[in-house]
Amino acid sequence: GAGVSQSPSNKVTEKGKDVELRCDPISGHTALYWYRQSLGQGLEFLIYFQGNSAPDKSGLPSDRFSAERTGGSVSTLTIQRTQQEDSAVYLCASSRGGLAGDNVRHEQFFGPGTRLTVL
Amino acid sequence: AQKVTQAQTEISVVEKEDVTLDCVYETRDTTYYLFWYKQPPSGELVFLIRRNSFDEQNEISGRYSWNFQKSTSSFNFTITASQVVDSAVYFCALSNYGQNFVFGPGTRLSVLP
Protein backbone atom coordinates (compact mmCIF):
# COMPACT_ATOMS: atom_id res chain seq x y z
CA GLY A 1 0.00 0.00 0.00
CA ALA A 2 0.97 3.64 -0.16
CA GLY A 3 3.37 4.97 2.40
CA VAL A 4 3.39 8.31 4.14
CA SER A 5 3.42 11.15 1.64
CA GLN A 6 4.34 14.76 2.17
CA SER A 7 3.88 17.81 0.02
CA PRO A 8 5.46 19.85 -1.26
CA SER A 9 8.79 18.09 -1.44
CA ASN A 10 10.55 21.45 -1.59
CA LYS A 11 9.38 24.89 -0.56
CA VAL A 12 11.26 28.13 -0.93
CA THR A 13 9.70 31.15 0.69
CA GLU A 14 10.57 34.66 1.72
CA LYS A 15 11.05 35.66 5.29
CA GLY A 16 7.78 36.78 6.83
CA LYS A 17 5.51 34.66 4.63
CA ASP A 18 3.29 31.87 5.94
CA VAL A 19 3.73 28.30 4.74
CA GLU A 20 1.66 25.14 4.97
CA LEU A 21 3.16 21.69 4.85
CA ARG A 22 0.99 18.65 4.31
CA CYS A 23 1.27 15.08 5.50
CA ASP A 24 -0.86 12.16 4.31
CA PRO A 25 -0.38 9.27 6.74
CA ILE A 26 -0.87 5.63 5.96
CA SER A 27 -4.57 4.83 5.93
CA GLY A 28 -5.76 3.53 9.28
CA HIS A 29 -2.82 4.86 11.25
CA THR A 30 -4.10 6.61 14.36
CA ALA A 31 -0.87 8.28 15.40
CA LEU A 32 0.91 11.01 13.48
CA TYR A 33 4.16 12.78 14.31
CA TRP A 34 5.93 15.86 12.99
CA TYR A 35 9.67 16.32 13.35
CA ARG A 36 12.20 18.63 11.81
CA GLN A 37 15.83 18.25 11.01
CA SER A 38 18.15 21.18 10.60
CA LEU A 39 21.91 21.59 10.48
CA GLY A 40 21.98 23.67 13.59
CA GLN A 41 19.49 21.82 15.78
CA GLY A 42 19.66 18.22 14.63
CA LEU A 43 16.48 16.20 14.87
CA GLU A 44 13.63 17.71 16.84
CA PHE A 45 10.19 16.46 17.75
CA LEU A 46 7.45 18.99 17.03
CA ILE A 47 4.00 17.55 17.66
CA TYR A 48 2.18 14.24 18.14
CA PHE A 49 -1.43 13.38 17.32
CA GLN A 50 -3.04 10.24 18.67
CA GLY A 51 -6.59 9.43 17.67
CA ASN A 52 -9.07 11.98 18.96
CA SER A 53 -6.91 13.02 21.90
CA ALA A 54 -5.61 16.54 22.24
CA PRO A 55 -2.27 16.74 20.42
CA ASP A 56 0.99 16.89 22.31
CA LYS A 57 2.43 20.23 21.22
CA SER A 58 5.34 20.23 23.63
CA GLY A 59 7.91 20.34 20.83
CA LEU A 60 6.62 23.31 18.87
CA PRO A 61 9.41 25.92 19.03
CA SER A 62 7.19 29.00 19.04
CA ASP A 63 3.60 30.17 18.66
CA ARG A 64 4.27 30.76 14.97
CA PHE A 65 4.00 26.99 14.57
CA SER A 66 0.68 25.17 14.60
CA ALA A 67 -0.65 21.90 13.28
CA GLU A 68 -3.99 20.36 12.59
CA ARG A 69 -5.14 16.89 11.82
CA THR A 70 -8.49 16.81 10.13
CA GLY A 71 -10.72 13.78 10.34
CA GLY A 72 -7.98 11.79 11.99
CA SER A 73 -6.11 11.60 8.70
CA VAL A 74 -4.33 14.38 6.81
CA SER A 75 -2.26 16.79 8.84
CA THR A 76 -1.13 20.31 8.03
CA LEU A 77 1.79 22.02 9.72
CA THR A 78 1.57 25.81 9.42
CA ILE A 79 4.43 28.18 10.04
CA GLN A 80 3.46 31.83 10.22
CA ARG A 81 5.80 34.72 9.55
CA THR A 82 8.64 32.40 8.61
CA GLN A 83 12.16 33.16 9.77
CA GLN A 84 15.45 32.00 8.32
CA GLU A 85 16.00 29.70 11.29
CA ASP A 86 12.86 27.80 10.24
CA SER A 87 14.79 26.43 7.26
CA ALA A 88 14.91 22.67 7.74
CA VAL A 89 13.56 19.39 6.49
CA TYR A 90 10.15 18.75 8.03
CA LEU A 91 9.41 15.06 8.51
CA CYS A 92 6.11 13.35 9.15
CA ALA A 93 5.57 9.83 10.44
CA SER A 94 2.56 7.71 11.26
CA SER A 95 1.95 4.51 13.18
CA ARG A 96 -1.00 2.19 13.72
CA GLY A 97 -0.87 2.69 17.45
CA GLY A 98 0.42 5.52 19.57
CA LEU A 99 3.40 5.78 21.85
CA ALA A 100 1.73 3.66 24.50
CA GLY A 101 0.75 0.93 22.08
CA ASP A 102 2.49 -2.40 21.71
CA ASN A 103 5.76 -2.50 19.83
CA VAL A 104 4.30 -3.74 16.56
CA ARG A 105 1.51 -1.19 16.46
CA HIS A 106 3.93 1.56 17.37
CA GLU A 107 6.25 1.06 14.41
CA GLN A 108 6.62 4.46 12.77
CA PHE A 109 6.70 4.96 9.04
CA PHE A 110 8.27 8.14 7.76
CA GLY A 111 7.52 10.28 4.76
CA PRO A 112 10.23 11.70 2.50
CA GLY A 113 10.07 15.11 4.13
CA THR A 114 9.56 18.66 2.96
CA ARG A 115 12.66 20.78 2.57
CA LEU A 116 11.81 24.32 3.58
CA THR A 117 14.14 27.16 2.69
CA VAL A 118 13.41 30.61 4.02
CA LEU A 119 15.28 33.34 2.18
CA ALA B 1 15.46 17.67 31.74
CA GLN B 2 15.77 14.75 29.40
CA LYS B 3 18.96 14.19 27.48
CA VAL B 4 20.39 11.66 25.07
CA THR B 5 24.11 11.30 24.50
CA GLN B 6 25.68 9.50 21.59
CA ALA B 7 29.33 9.96 22.29
CA GLN B 8 30.52 8.42 19.02
CA THR B 9 30.24 11.04 16.32
CA GLU B 10 31.60 8.85 13.55
CA ILE B 11 32.58 5.21 13.33
CA SER B 12 34.24 3.40 10.45
CA VAL B 13 34.39 -0.38 10.23
CA VAL B 14 35.26 -2.87 7.56
CA GLU B 15 32.50 -5.05 6.22
CA LYS B 16 31.71 -8.12 8.34
CA GLU B 17 32.98 -6.52 11.51
CA ASP B 18 30.62 -6.17 14.45
CA VAL B 19 29.96 -2.63 15.65
CA THR B 20 28.21 -1.22 18.71
CA LEU B 21 26.66 2.22 18.79
CA ASP B 22 26.38 3.70 22.26
CA CYS B 23 23.41 5.58 23.66
CA VAL B 24 23.23 6.98 27.17
CA TYR B 25 20.13 8.77 28.38
CA GLU B 26 19.05 10.92 31.30
CA THR B 27 15.50 11.17 32.62
CA ARG B 28 13.72 11.51 35.92
CA ASP B 29 10.67 9.68 34.68
CA THR B 30 10.00 6.09 35.67
CA THR B 31 8.03 5.44 32.52
CA TYR B 32 9.70 6.29 29.25
CA TYR B 33 10.45 4.98 25.80
CA LEU B 34 13.72 4.59 23.98
CA PHE B 35 14.09 4.49 20.22
CA TRP B 36 16.62 3.91 17.49
CA TYR B 37 16.29 5.33 13.99
CA LYS B 38 18.40 4.94 10.88
CA GLN B 39 18.96 7.65 8.28
CA PRO B 40 20.70 6.30 5.19
CA PRO B 41 22.35 8.62 2.65
CA SER B 42 19.02 8.89 0.83
CA GLY B 43 17.80 10.93 3.80
CA GLU B 44 14.58 9.12 4.66
CA LEU B 45 14.32 8.20 8.33
CA VAL B 46 13.70 4.57 9.19
CA PHE B 47 12.31 3.49 12.54
CA LEU B 48 14.25 0.55 13.99
CA ILE B 49 12.96 -0.12 17.48
CA ARG B 50 11.05 1.20 20.49
CA ARG B 51 11.68 -0.12 23.96
CA ASN B 52 9.68 0.85 27.05
CA SER B 53 11.30 1.35 30.41
CA PHE B 54 9.65 -1.68 31.98
CA ASP B 55 11.04 -4.11 29.46
CA GLU B 56 14.74 -4.71 29.93
CA GLN B 57 14.86 -7.77 27.76
CA ASN B 58 17.42 -7.53 25.04
CA GLU B 59 16.05 -7.53 21.52
CA ILE B 60 17.46 -9.26 18.47
CA SER B 61 16.27 -8.71 14.94
CA GLY B 62 18.41 -10.41 12.35
CA ARG B 63 21.86 -8.82 12.49
CA TYR B 64 20.63 -6.09 14.82
CA SER B 65 20.51 -6.35 18.59
CA TRP B 66 19.81 -3.91 21.38
CA ASN B 67 21.05 -3.98 24.94
CA PHE B 68 18.94 -1.97 27.40
CA GLN B 69 20.45 -1.52 30.85
CA LYS B 70 18.59 0.73 33.26
CA SER B 71 21.40 0.46 35.80
CA THR B 72 23.70 2.38 33.46
CA SER B 73 20.96 4.30 31.59
CA SER B 74 22.16 2.87 28.33
CA PHE B 75 20.45 1.51 25.25
CA ASN B 76 23.21 0.30 22.96
CA PHE B 77 22.77 -0.97 19.44
CA THR B 78 24.94 -3.67 17.90
CA ILE B 79 25.17 -4.61 14.26
CA THR B 80 26.67 -8.03 13.70
CA ALA B 81 28.57 -8.79 10.51
CA SER B 82 28.13 -5.27 9.20
CA GLN B 83 27.37 -4.62 5.56
CA VAL B 84 27.92 -1.63 3.32
CA VAL B 85 24.15 -1.02 3.33
CA ASP B 86 24.35 -0.40 7.06
CA SER B 87 26.19 2.87 6.35
CA ALA B 88 23.95 5.59 7.73
CA VAL B 89 23.48 8.01 10.58
CA TYR B 90 21.86 6.34 13.56
CA PHE B 91 19.85 8.29 16.10
CA CYS B 92 18.86 7.27 19.59
CA ALA B 93 15.86 9.02 21.16
CA LEU B 94 13.99 9.21 24.45
CA SER B 95 10.36 10.09 25.14
CA ASN B 96 7.70 9.92 27.79
CA TYR B 97 4.43 9.47 25.95
CA GLY B 98 5.48 11.95 23.29
CA GLN B 99 6.31 14.76 25.62
CA ASN B 100 9.90 15.79 25.91
CA PHE B 101 10.82 13.72 22.91
CA VAL B 102 14.58 14.14 22.66
CA PHE B 103 16.98 12.89 20.01
CA GLY B 104 20.67 12.29 20.38
CA PRO B 105 23.06 13.99 17.97
CA GLY B 106 23.49 10.83 15.91
CA THR B 107 26.37 8.53 15.07
CA ARG B 108 27.56 8.33 11.48
CA LEU B 109 28.50 4.76 10.64
CA SER B 110 30.58 4.03 7.57
CA VAL B 111 30.99 0.41 6.58
CA LEU B 112 33.82 0.00 4.14
CA PRO B 113 33.94 -2.86 1.63
Side-chain angles (χ1 to χ4, degrees):
Chain A
V4 177
S5 61
Q6 293 185 246
S7 60
S9 54
N10 277 286
K11 176 72 177 178
V12 179
T13 190
E14 293 179 349
K15 179 181 171 181
K17 301 276 191 182
D18 298 351
V19 295
E20 282 189 355
L21 312 180
R22 177 186 168 109
C23 172
D24 280 87
I26 293 173
S27 177
H29 280 197
T30 63
L32 187 147
Y33 309 76
W34 282 99
Y35 306 89
R36 74 174 177 181
Q37 186 171 28
S38 59
L39 283 176
Q41 299 296 323
L43 260 173
E44 300 173 89
F45 159 81
L46 297 177
I47 188 168
Y48 161 53
F49 295 90
Q50 169 53 31
N52 295 321
S53 303
D56 172 9
K57 305 180 182 180
S58 60
L60 294 178
S62 78
D63 58 9
R64 296 186 295 104
F65 288 73
S66 62
E68 289 185 341
R69 188 176 185 196
T70 53
S73 182
V74 171
S75 178
T76 302
L77 177 68
T78 301
I79 309 173
Q80 296 178 309
R81 305 181 302 282
T82 51
Q83 303 293 312
Q84 288 182 330
E85 61 262 28
D86 300 334
S87 295
V89 175
Y90 288 81
L91 297 162
C92 176
S94 70
S95 59
R96 274 199 295 149
L99 273 169
D102 63 70
N103 286 334
V104 173
R105 284 170 53 81
H106 175 73
E107 182 177 358
Q108 296 175 17
F109 296 83
F110 283 82
T114 293
R115 182 176 296 279
L116 173 66
T117 304
V118 182
L119 302 176
Chain B
Q2 309 213 134
K3 184 178 178 182
V4 175
T5 301
Q6 295 179 258
Q8 305 147 309
T9 306
E10 294 192 33
I11 302 176
S12 286
V13 299
V14 176
E15 208 170 16
K16 298 184 184 176
E17 284 185 7
D18 298 349
V19 58
T20 295
L21 309 183
D22 297 333
C23 173
V24 174
Y25 62 93
E26 294 177 28
T27 180
R28 293 183 178 177
D29 296 310
T30 55
T31 300
Y32 52 88
Y33 296 94
L34 295 161
F35 306 80
W36 276 95
Y37 300 87
K38 174 183 179 180
Q39 189 169 41
S42 61
E44 202 154 323
L45 263 179
V46 178
F47 167 88
L48 295 178
I49 190 172
R50 182 200 70 170
R51 173 66 66 206
N52 76 50
S53 52
F54 296 110
D55 184 0
E56 286 193 73
Q57 279 191 336
N58 290 334
E59 176 101 7
I60 297 175
S61 177
R63 295 184 298 107
Y64 294 171
S65 62
W66 290 269
N67 185 318
F68 175 30
Q69 294 201 345
K70 288 178 79 169
S71 60
T72 56
S73 297
S74 65
F75 186 44
N76 296 338
F77 173 33
T78 297
I79 303 175
T80 303
S82 59
Q83 300 176 0
V84 172
V85 293
D86 296 327
S87 297
V89 179
Y90 291 87
F91 295 94
C92 181
L94 166 69
S95 168
N96 58 342
Y97 289 101
Q99 296 181 11
N100 300 314
F101 201 124
V102 176
F103 285 88
T107 296
R108 181 177 299 277
L109 173 65
S110 297
V111 181
L112 308 174

